[in-house]
């Protein structure tokens, strides 16, 4: 009989203790010799498809070589291995699993390997935090024994002997009743027969006095799995037993980790995450907890991958969190946000350099390199009463972000290995949150930089408008969005105002915004009416969406946008505007009355609703009228409807005194106190009107004699404006444009000169056909008119106007005239 005393079996097992692991047995060469029904359910392969084949059959091709090599190295170096792997399902997709490989001994010194895997993704938090449970139990000795259909022991691992003291040589070929008391053996064999007959997995819990610890009774939990051969028939039973005496303590620690998932990383604030880690650790794990981050981390900058051991520069950290059961110790050795210098020869510096944790069960504060380099700190540590210390590096993607220090003072029990394991799990949770914050900070900085570079740095309304703008990016939770605005000078002193909003946030939205802003500027140069411009812009957004969807290895993002496009003419005081799903503009007359014009909303861009046309509306605006174009982030709030936002905006805009820049700031200050959930963009424009003396126009008959008349009236008008030096050039331009209007146009034509920041010469006629420049050959008699106009003008073009078209050309004015 063995040298262990045993008691009867324990009560019923909690159903949550029933394992969800898949079991497979391999021979010494890695060939599958036993398979379980749970393994078939997990990876989709039946026993007939796997037994007799290499275990690498279920590993992804990209990982076969590395996993095989790693497995071979580990199995020769020790009697097992545990960790995370990717396993290939029968249908082709991969599953992330926790894996444990154990070495089994058979009669004659033969060896086999038992593989236990669990799908990480299917484990619930209630089931003892699956991945955490694996990591905490990875170092616990698991006793394994395999029995044939007659319940005789055929394979066993070394841990079984440590459980009950029975040498493996005395187990082979024997049943449990030959080694255990009859009552206990019979109960276990009943369970094993049920497993053989049903193929299911069962758990049984029992108590006994372990040979390794005679001071107290131990509780063991045994899990039984049915092993199948290639034909799917039962070939034996695998029993795995674990000492669960400390299960209550383990569950308490798992509860700490469960709480950590909700209490650590509640925001993307680096310093707050550090304090959350310290607050959770005290008093659940330690009496004192300190979290220090490398100085660059709180500023959103990722540190270098490794701190060189030979570097003369001492690492500098910033205190992010500190907690203690003794409030008087909170100043040890620095309060939050203070800079902390790491002693080069200390365990802290070693942890930063190597990225490995350090456990000092009994802390010596009277000797050591760090005591000599920092005696003040050593004295404070002695005064605090810390007698046991753990130093855990905060690591993420091969970078060390900082250190977490845990100390015990009031609790007399020193830290042990399992305490360090729990501390590492807590720090890992915090490291993931910190890494997410770093990734977000990097992406947000890139998106914000891109967005600011793509937006106009300064806006000018020319002679038509006084303009001002204000842009506020979204908060850190929602990220930078795709808002844009623009002010575009058009011909004839007219100015276009644009405000748009791309769906989504982040760098993709900012990039899409830049593409749409460029498209709008291109379409604006074509002098299209607002509703036609939005129609072409809608086609552009749809094409962008289709191109992104066709790109290989690209997950198409939602592409859509809203836009408001308005054109103001300072000669006629008319403003023409159209919108595509965008909030209407606010119009404030010189007396401060605010209206939001009733204009067709239009569908958002990119939704494929081309059958619903956009519509333009035209308004006549008195001089000094204020136009406010904005995005929905200005008027939409979490707790208010849009009507409340519009009322708030209207009340702020009614305060018309002061500059437009000051008014922009006042409007932004009316936003709710909570952080914005979307970008906020505001574009203000106050209308100007050109004086009658700055505009001259003449109606011309549709006859050749009108060309001479046009030259004469243009020369006379230029002389009245003091622009005699432009007479010769303008006469040539007028001659060509009027000649083309008479020859190719319809009905009477009209000549108009506008003196604003440039001199604009316009000729309109009743034809809708726009001129196109030609490249005549040497002997051609015609086709050189527009070429000559282009050579004599700073720029020229044509646009639709009324029932026909307008062809225009511009001339630069001398500096005194520009100042008018």
């Amino acid at each position: 009989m063995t040298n262990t005393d045993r008691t009867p079996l324990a009560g019923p097992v909690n159903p949550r203790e029933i394992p969800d692991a898949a079991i497979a047995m391999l021979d010494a060469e890695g060939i599958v010799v036993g398979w379980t029904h749970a393994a078939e359910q997990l990876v989709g392969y039946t026993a007939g498809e796997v037994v007799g084949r290499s275990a690498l059959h279920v590993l992804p091709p990209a990982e076969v070589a590395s996993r095989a090599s790693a497995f071979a190295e580990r199995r020769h170096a020790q009697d097992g291995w545990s960790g995370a792997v990717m396993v290939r399902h029968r249908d082709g997709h991969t599953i992330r699993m926790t894996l444990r490989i154990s070495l089994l001994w058979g009669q004659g010194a033969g060896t086999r390997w038992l593989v236990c895997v669990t799908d990480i993704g299917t484990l619930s938090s209630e089931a003892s935090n699956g991945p955490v449970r694996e990591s905490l139990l990875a170092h616990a000795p698991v006793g394994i024994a395999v029995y044939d259909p007659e319940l005789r022991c055929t394979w066993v691992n070394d841990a079984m002997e440590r459980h009950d003291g029975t040498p493996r040589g005395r187990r082979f070929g024997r049943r449990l009743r030959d080694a255990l008391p009859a009552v206990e053996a019979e109960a276990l064999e009943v369970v094993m027969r049920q497993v053989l007959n049903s193929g299911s997995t069962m758990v049984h819990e029992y108590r006994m006095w372990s040979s390794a610890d005679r001071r107290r009774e131990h509780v063991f939990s045994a899990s039984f799995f049915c092993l199948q051969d290639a034909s799917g028939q039962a070939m034996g039973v695998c029993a795995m037993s674990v000492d669960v005496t400390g299960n209550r303590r383990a569950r308490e620690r798992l509860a700490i980790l469960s709480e950590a998932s909700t209490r650590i990383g509640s925001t993307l604030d680096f310093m707050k995450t550090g304090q959350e880690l310290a607050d959770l650790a005290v008093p659940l794990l330690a009496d004192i907890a300190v979290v220090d981050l490398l100085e660059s981390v709180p500023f959103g900058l990722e540190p270098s991958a490794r701190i060189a051991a030979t570097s003369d520069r001492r690492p500098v950290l910033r205190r992010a969190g500190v907690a203690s059961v003794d409030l008087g110790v909170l100043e040890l050795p620095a309060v939050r946000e203070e800079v902390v210098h790491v002693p080069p020869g200390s365990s802290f510096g070693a942890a930063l350099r190597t990225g490995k944790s350090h456990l000092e069960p009994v802390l010596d504060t009277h000797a050591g390199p760090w005591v000599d380099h920092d005696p003040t700190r050593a004295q404070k540590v002695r005064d605090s009463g810390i007698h046991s210390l753990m130093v855990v590096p905060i690591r993420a993607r091969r970078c060390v972000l900082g250190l977490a220090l845990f100390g015990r003072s009031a609790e007399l029990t020193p830290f042990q290995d399992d305490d360090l394991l729990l501390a590492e799990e807590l720090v890992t949770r915090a490291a993931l949150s910190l890494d997410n914050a770093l990734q977000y900070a990097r992406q947000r900085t890139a998106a914000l930089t891109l967005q600011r570079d793509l937006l106009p740095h300064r806006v000018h309304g020319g002679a038509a408008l006084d303009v001002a703008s204000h842009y506020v990016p979204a908060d850190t939770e929602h990220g930078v969005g795709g808002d844009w605005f623009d002010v575009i000078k058009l011909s004839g002193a007219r100015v276009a105002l644009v405000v748009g909003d791309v769906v989504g946030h982040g760098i993709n939205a900012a990039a899409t915004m830049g593409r749409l802003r460029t498209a709008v500027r291109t379409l604006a140069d074509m002098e299209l009416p607002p509703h036609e411009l939005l129609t072409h812009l809608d086609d552009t957004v749809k094409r962008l969406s289709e191109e992104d969807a066709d790109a290989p290895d690209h997950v198409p993002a939602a592409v859509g946008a809203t836009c408001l496009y308005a054109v103001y003419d300072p000669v006629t005081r008319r403003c023409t505007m159209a919108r595509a799903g965008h909030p209407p503009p606010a119009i404030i007359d010189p007396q401060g009355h605010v209206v939001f014009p009733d204009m067709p909303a239009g569908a958002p861009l990119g939704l494929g609703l081309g059958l619903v046309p956009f519509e333009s509306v035209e308004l006549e605006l008195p001089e000094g009228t204020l136009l406010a174009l904005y995005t929905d982030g200005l008027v939409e709030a979490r707790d208010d409807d849009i009507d409340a936002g519009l009322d708030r905006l209207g009340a702020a805009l009614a305060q018309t005194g002061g500059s437009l820049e000051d008014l922009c700031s006042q409007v932004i200050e009316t936003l709710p106190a909570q952080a914005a959930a979307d970008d906020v963009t505001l574009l203000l424009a106050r209308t100007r009107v050109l004086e009658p003396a700055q505009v001259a126009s003449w109606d011309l008959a549709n006859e050749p004699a009108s060309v001479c008349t046009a030259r004469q009236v243009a020369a006379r008008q230029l002389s009245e404006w003091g622009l005699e030096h432009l007479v010769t050039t303008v006469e040539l331009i007028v001659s060509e444009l009027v000649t083309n209007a008479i020859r190719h146009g319809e009905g009477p034509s009209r000549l108009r000169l506008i003196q604003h920041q440039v001199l604009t010469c316009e000729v309109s006629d009743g034809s809708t056909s726009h001129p196109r420049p030609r490249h005549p050959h040497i002997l051609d008699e015609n086709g050189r008119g527009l070429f000559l106009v282009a050579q004599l003008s700073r720029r020229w073009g044509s646009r639709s106007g009324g029932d026909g078209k307008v062809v225009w050309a511009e001339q630069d004015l001398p500096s005194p005239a520009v100042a008018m």
Side-chain angles (χ1 to χ4, degrees):
M1 211 61 168
T2 64
N3 59 347
T4 58
D5 299 322
R6 299 173 176 86
T7 61
L9 297 172
V13 176
N14 188 327
R16 288 178 299 190
E17 289 295 331
I18 297 178
D20 45 18
I23 301 296
M25 180 180 283
L26 315 180
D27 65 13
E29 304 302 323
I31 303 300
V32 179
V33 296
W35 197 246
T36 61
H37 181 65
E40 177 182 346
Q41 290 181 320
L42 190 59
V43 298
Y45 291 96
T46 64
E49 294 172 313
V50 175
V51 174
R53 303 184 66 178
S54 171
L56 299 181
H57 178 62
V58 294
L59 292 178
E63 296 193 6
V64 166
S66 61
R67 292 297 180 193
S69 175
F71 171 66
E73 292 178 3
R74 287 183 175 92
R75 75 175 189 174
H76 288 299
Q78 56 193 42
D79 60 356
W81 176 74
S82 63
V85 295
M86 300 298 293
V87 175
R88 181 173 56 194
H89 193 274
R90 190 177 187 276
D91 63 12
H93 75 274
T94 57
I95 313 170
R96 182 172 174 79
M97 298 186 177
T98 57
L99 174 144
R100 181 165 187 156
I101 301 176
S102 303
L103 177 64
L104 304 182
W105 298 95
Q107 238 172 339
T111 59
R112 285 192 177 179
W113 300 90
L114 194 80
V115 180
C116 175
V117 293
T118 305
D119 183 359
I120 295 177
T122 60
L123 294 176
S124 65
S125 59
E126 187 179 12
S128 296
N129 261 345
V132 177
R133 181 170 183 256
E134 284 292 329
S135 65
L136 287 176
L137 297 180
H139 302 286
V142 178
I144 303 174
V146 177
Y147 301 88
D148 64 16
E150 280 68 42
L151 305 184
R152 293 171 301 197
C153 181
T154 55
W155 302 92
V156 68
N157 73 339
D158 292 334
M160 282 300 293
E161 181 176 352
R162 293 195 292 271
H163 281 183
D164 57 18
T166 303
R168 63 172 181 260
R170 295 183 54 187
R171 297 180 186 270
F172 296 134
R174 298 185 180 184
R175 295 176 57 170
L176 285 175
R177 64 187 181 188
D178 297 327
L180 302 179
V183 174
E184 183 174 305
E186 183 61 31
L188 291 174
E189 290 189 353
V190 167
V191 176
M192 294 168 69
R193 290 191 187 95
Q194 292 175 350
V195 170
L196 280 172
N197 294 332
S198 65
S200 60
T201 299
M202 300 186 70
V203 177
H204 202 78
E205 193 172 281
Y206 60 95
R207 299 176 183 271
M208 71 178 194
W209 294 92
S210 170
S211 62
D213 183 6
R214 303 291 296 178
R215 297 173 299 173
R216 58 176 177 171
E217 188 180 50
H218 284 243
V219 179
F220 290 88
S221 178
S223 304
F224 297 93
F225 306 86
C226 179
L227 294 173
Q228 300 173 345
D229 59 18
S231 63
Q233 300 300 312
M235 58 172 286
V237 177
C238 174
M240 302 177 64
S241 61
V242 181
D243 188 340
V244 294
T245 308
N247 209 27
R248 175 178 297 179
R249 188 183 182 197
R251 287 178 178 174
E252 290 175 352
R253 294 177 175 228
L254 292 172
I256 295 174
L257 293 175
S258 178
E259 191 173 355
S261 63
T262 59
R263 289 180 54 182
I264 297 179
S266 61
T267 68
L268 292 172
D269 186 304
F270 300 97
M271 305 300 281
K272 186 173 182 180
T273 299
Q275 187 60 47
E276 288 171 344
L277 173 59
D279 289 339
L280 180 65
V282 176
L284 298 179
L285 173 64
D287 298 323
I288 298 173
V290 173
V291 179
D292 294 335
L293 300 178
L294 286 173
E295 194 173 27
S296 62
V297 173
F299 298 99
L301 302 176
E302 187 170 307
S304 58
R306 191 65 58 86
I307 298 175
T310 59
S311 175
D312 295 332
R313 183 181 177 184
R314 298 175 63 182
V316 178
L317 299 93
R318 187 173 295 273
R319 183 128 302 165
V322 56
S324 173
V325 294
D326 182 2
L327 298 180
V329 186
L330 290 183
E331 295 186 0
L332 169 71
V335 297
R336 287 188 72 233
E337 300 189 11
E338 284 193 21
V339 173
V340 180
H341 295 275
V342 178
S346 67
S347 56
F348 317 129
L352 283 175
R353 291 193 305 271
T354 64
K356 296 181 179 180
S357 301
H358 173 75
L359 170 63
E360 200 160 346
V362 180
L363 179 63
D364 186 358
T365 59
H366 297 278
W370 75 277
V371 175
D372 298 333
H373 282 89
D374 197 348
T376 302
R377 180 186 300 230
Q379 184 59 47
K380 289 184 177 181
V381 171
R382 285 192 290 269
D383 294 341
S384 70
I386 297 176
H387 59 82
S388 188
L389 179 69
M390 293 187 296
V391 181
V392 181
I394 304 173
R395 295 175 298 174
R397 294 182 299 107
R398 299 184 180 180
C399 289
V400 177
L401 307 181
L403 294 176
L405 282 65
F406 306 95
R408 278 186 176 168
S409 55
E411 171 64 45
L412 299 180
T413 305
F415 287 123
Q416 303 297 327
D417 289 339
D418 57 346
D419 294 310
L420 181 61
L421 186 61
L422 177 59
E424 289 176 335
E425 292 286 354
L426 290 176
V427 171
T428 297
R429 300 290 179 99
L432 289 174
S433 299
L434 291 171
D435 187 53
N436 288 338
L438 278 173
Q439 299 303 313
Y440 176 82
R442 182 188 300 108
Q443 184 180 27
R444 186 174 187 273
T445 299
L448 188 58
T449 302
L450 175 63
Q451 188 176 41
R452 291 195 182 278
D453 287 345
L454 292 175
L455 289 175
H457 293 238
R458 297 183 64 187
V459 288
H460 301 278
L465 299 168
D466 289 325
V467 294
S469 62
H470 204 105
Y471 166 72
V472 180
D475 65 356
T476 57
E477 178 182 353
H478 296 84
V480 177
D483 286 12
W484 92 90
F485 64 92
D486 212 343
V487 179
I488 307 170
K489 294 181 182 179
L490 305 176
S491 63
R494 298 170 308 129
V495 174
L497 301 173
V498 191
V499 168
D501 187 0
V502 174
V503 171
H505 296 86
I507 197 166
N508 290 334
T512 301
M513 174 272 290
R515 298 163 82 179
L516 295 188
R517 178 173 176 248
T518 301
V520 170
R521 278 193 161 263
T522 302
L523 295 171
D525 286 342
M526 297 172 63
E527 303 276 1
L528 296 174
H531 63 280
E532 291 187 20
L533 183 142
L534 291 182
T535 299
H536 286 285
L537 189 62
D538 184 42
D539 292 337
T540 300
V541 175
K542 285 185 286 188
R543 282 199 305 272
L544 292 177
S545 179
E546 292 169 357
E547 290 171 1
D548 290 343
D550 293 339
D553 302 327
H554 177 78
V555 179
V559 177
T562 64
C563 184
L564 173 64
Y565 184 80
V567 176
Y568 174 69
D569 188 340
V571 177
T572 63
R573 294 186 290 108
R574 291 189 173 274
C575 182
T576 307
M577 62 186 74
R579 61 183 178 135
H582 202 82
I587 300 178
I588 304 91
D589 65 19
Q591 289 73 42
H593 299 137
V594 182
V595 296
F596 294 90
D598 184 13
M599 56 184 295
L605 304 170
L607 298 186
L609 303 179
L611 297 178
V612 181
F614 300 103
E615 299 182 44
S616 295
V617 297
E618 188 175 76
L619 303 173
E620 186 172 332
L621 305 178
E623 184 177 6
T625 298
L626 182 65
L627 287 169
L629 283 66
Y630 53 91
T631 54
D632 54 9
L634 185 63
V635 294
E636 291 183 353
R638 294 183 178 95
D639 302 324
D640 295 327
D641 57 25
I642 191 171
D643 291 333
L646 292 174
D647 292 342
R648 183 183 66 250
L649 174 62
L653 292 172
Q655 310 299 321
T656 56
S659 67
L660 292 184
E661 288 77 8
D662 292 340
L663 184 57
C664 269
S665 300
Q666 293 171 15
V667 172
I668 298 301
E669 289 173 359
T670 66
L671 290 172
Q674 68 266 28
D678 199 359
D679 286 12
V680 173
T681 301
L682 176 63
L683 177 62
L684 296 182
R686 182 172 286 125
T687 62
R688 296 176 180 173
V689 176
L690 293 186
E691 298 294 334
Q694 294 178 266
V695 182
S697 60
W698 302 269
D699 292 326
L700 302 173
N702 191 20
E703 57 186 29
S706 297
V707 177
C708 180
T709 302
R711 286 200 302 266
Q712 292 173 353
V713 296
R716 186 166 52 249
Q717 185 62 54
L718 291 177
S719 296
E720 293 179 6
W721 284 341
L723 301 174
E724 292 85 354
H725 66 287
L726 294 178
V727 169
T728 301
T729 302
V730 172
E731 281 184 334
L732 289 173
I733 293 174
V734 167
S735 295
E736 296 299 334
L737 296 184
V738 174
T739 299
N740 284 343
I742 294 173
R743 182 176 299 174
H744 304 291
E746 299 177 1
S749 56
R750 184 176 181 82
L751 170 64
R752 186 169 71 165
L753 297 179
I754 305 173
Q755 181 196 19
H756 50 109
Q757 293 180 332
V758 295
L759 175 67
T760 303
C761 174
E762 297 181 348
V763 175
S764 58
D765 61 63
S767 173
T768 58
S769 298
H770 290 259
R772 291 183 297 176
R774 294 165 51 188
H775 298 281
H777 297 290
I778 296 177
L779 299 179
D780 289 346
E781 296 181 0
N782 300 312
R784 292 180 173 82
L786 292 178
F787 178 78
L788 180 61
V789 171
Q791 295 297 313
L792 296 175
S793 306
R794 67 187 299 270
R795 65 174 190 149
W796 76 279
S798 64
R799 67 177 185 269
S800 299
D803 296 330
K805 68 175 181 296
V806 177
V807 183
W808 54 269
E810 292 179 350
Q811 290 289 308
D812 287 319
L813 294 176
S815 298
V818 173
M820 292 179 59

